[in-house]
Amino acid sequence: MMLFGVAMLNEVRKGLRFAWSERLQILIELPMFAAFVLLLGPLLGQGGQIAAGRIAWRLDSETTSVMVVWFVPFVFFYMQVVKMFWRLLGEIQAGTIEQVFLSPLPSWLVVAAGRVAAAFVETVFVAAATYGIVSVFVPLRIGWTAGALLPLAMGMLAAIGVSLIIAGATLVWKRIQLVNDAAMVVVMLFSASALPLIDVPTWWARISHFLPLTDAVGGLYKTLLAHEPITTWGTGGLVPLTATSVAYFTAGIAVFALGQRAAKRRGTLGIY
């Protein structure tokens, strides 16, 4: 048990060191995150006015609050998945990837543990800073409640699962940056459909339940902004939220195991 604890702690420390080494990049990205929320917020819910050329550009507190509730979980998803890819690829290029498989812990847990801790710390910092910057320009009305813990946890679980899927594919094919970027765009677009300010076709809403972040965003909207309990079905409902997150997490473990097995069999684990 002591060896397991030491191995886990080492991976968490490594993940946090990666995060600290990228502190300048994060500081550069912060104004961009805040600007994204501030610039896109006034456009939501004004499709008719935009089409008619009568857009009223104003920073609305309610609309911007909805944007923040959507953007924060997406930032965690982004950091977990994208940074998992780049950091794992960096270890492959540096020739240190074999260390992952020398730990007494399961390899998927070793890969995920440090990255989750780093992504969580980064997201808390980015979310707090983004909230602070945005609130300077427009007051935010987000009431915290313990009910938000469930969609937050399920969103994190789904993000870990997707990051493990990407990691497993990276072990085999290495150069999958375009696939990774495409996945981010798809998740961003479909998760936004959980917001009441965006009208999407019925088929779009149905498909969105099969993607990892939509119901987590829907659950956060209900608990933090609409002040409603999480229902059984519907967007953000307990069943689709739990089923989707657990499915992605389970698939992530399976895909990573298949990826490492294929890379070991081919002898290309540390070859870029």
Side-chain angles (χ1 to χ4, degrees):
M1 183 61 69
M2 180 66 69
L3 291 177
F4 284 110
V6 171
M8 180 69 74
L9 184 60
N10 287 338
E11 287 303 315
V12 171
R13 286 175 176 172
K14 183 168 69 174
L16 292 176
R17 284 199 300 269
F18 273 125
W20 179 249
S21 68
E22 297 172 354
R23 60 190 181 278
L24 180 59
Q25 175 188 343
I26 296 173
L27 290 175
I28 294 173
E29 291 174 342
L30 270 179
M32 299 174 60
F33 290 149
F36 178 83
V37 175
L38 290 171
L39 293 176
L40 184 59
L43 300 178
L44 293 179
Q46 299 198 55
Q49 290 85 345
I50 293 174
R54 297 193 302 270
I55 177 70
W57 188 272
R58 62 187 179 87
L59 290 173
D60 179 74
S61 178
E62 181 180 355
T63 303
T64 308
S65 298
V66 173
M67 279 290 298
V68 171
V69 167
W70 163 70
F71 192 65
V72 169
F74 177 74
V75 166
F76 177 85
F77 186 90
Y78 169 83
M79 288 186 169
Q80 174 66 22
V81 177
V82 173
K83 291 182 181 294
M84 166 75 85
F85 167 71
W86 284 112
R87 290 169 182 172
L88 191 65
L89 195 64
E91 291 188 54
I92 293 173
Q93 293 172 328
T96 60
I97 187 64
E98 286 83 359
Q99 295 177 4
V100 171
F101 304 96
L102 297 176
S103 170
L105 295 171
S107 55
W108 68 266
L109 183 58
V110 172
V111 169
R115 282 73 176 184
V116 172
F120 181 77
V121 172
E122 288 174 284
T123 303
V124 169
F125 174 75
V126 170
T130 302
Y131 187 98
I133 295 172
V134 172
S135 62
V136 171
F137 297 92
V138 56
L140 299 177
R141 299 170 182 171
I142 302 174
W144 172 255
T145 175
L149 291 175
L150 177 61
L152 278 175
M154 291 296 102
M156 290 179 62
L157 192 68
I160 295 170
V162 174
S163 69
L164 286 172
I165 292 174
I166 295 296
T170 303
L171 292 177
V172 179
W173 292 293
K174 311 301 191 291
R175 298 172 178 87
I176 60 167
Q177 180 182 353
L178 289 179
V179 176
N180 195 31
D181 292 342
M184 292 298 98
V185 173
V186 170
V187 171
M188 180 178 70
L189 293 177
F190 277 87
S191 64
S193 66
L195 305 177
L197 299 175
I198 300 176
D199 293 325
V200 297
T202 302
W203 63 266
W204 183 294
R206 290 175 179 172
I207 292 176
S208 68
H209 287 295
F210 295 95
L211 292 169
L213 202 59
T214 306
D215 287 296
V217 171
L220 288 173
Y221 172 80
K222 285 183 176 179
T223 55
L224 296 180
L225 295 175
H227 306 293
E228 299 175 358
I230 294 179
T231 56
T232 305
W233 297 97
T235 302
L238 182 61
V239 172
L241 174 64
T242 306
T244 303
S245 299
V246 171
Y248 275 100
F249 183 70
T250 304
I253 296 175
V255 171
F256 185 81
L258 292 173
Q260 73 174 26
R261 188 180 306 167
K264 287 180 178 179
R265 186 173 61 249
R266 298 176 185 178
T268 59
L269 187 63
I271 298 176
Y272 179 72

